[in-house]
Amino acid sequence: YTLENIDSDNKDEIKSILESYLGEGCSILLSAFGHIVRLQAIDDTGLTVDDPYGKVVDFTAIGVTPKYKKDGKDYRNGKDFGNSEGEDNLWKWKDITDNIKIKYAEIYCRD
């Protein structure tokens, strides 16, 4: 296992650190805003993640739980929309670079 201290909101920096690990078939857990998600893919639109808590719908909100609520609806798993809200979520680069930082990545590769 490898720990990468990213502490960045810079698209090019994040991509340069993580793309090669994904290409090698490694599993990656990311930490952002005090929360952990599993990275599935990186492309020019953003990061695709699986989020066990639900779907982030307001990257500008302060705190973890408010990021999952919008217009009176709760996008946390097990709330208003069921248990699969956190699957296959796209975090667009603009949402990341304007509102949050990717703190670190835990990378798990086969030997």
Side-chain angles (χ1 to χ4, degrees):
Y1 131 85
T2 302
L3 180 65
E4 290 282 355
N5 185 14
I6 298 172
D7 199 30
S8 179
D9 60 3
N10 181 281
K11 171 184 173 180
D12 293 330
E13 187 175 343
I14 293 167
K15 284 177 75 172
S16 73
I17 293 170
L18 299 177
E19 277 184 319
S20 63
Y21 289 115
L22 278 180
E24 294 170 17
C26 301
S27 297
I28 301 174
L29 299 177
L30 297 178
S31 171
F33 59 90
H35 192 58
I36 296 174
V37 298
R38 184 178 68 86
L39 180 64
Q40 292 178 266
I42 300 173
D43 62 26
D44 286 333
T45 57
L47 306 176
T48 302
V49 302
D50 275 342
D51 186 340
Y53 200 59
K55 179 179 181 179
V56 175
V57 290
D58 186 356
F59 283 86
T60 65
I62 303 300
V64 175
T65 300
K67 290 183 183 325
Y68 295 83
K69 296 181 177 183
K70 190 171 186 177
D71 300 327
K73 295 184 176 113
D74 194 332
Y75 292 83
R76 292 178 292 167
N77 285 333
K79 301 297 181 180
D80 294 346
F81 299 99
N83 290 319
S84 60
E85 282 302 296
E87 296 176 12
D88 305 324
N89 287 202
L90 175 63
W91 289 7
K92 295 178 182 175
W93 286 117
K94 182 160 179 47
D95 291 327
I96 294 169
T97 58
D98 288 354
N99 300 296
I100 65 171
K101 278 188 176 183
I102 302 300
K103 298 291 187 179
Y104 65 84
E106 287 186 12
I107 298 127
Y108 298 87
C109 302
R110 293 180 192 234
D111 292 332

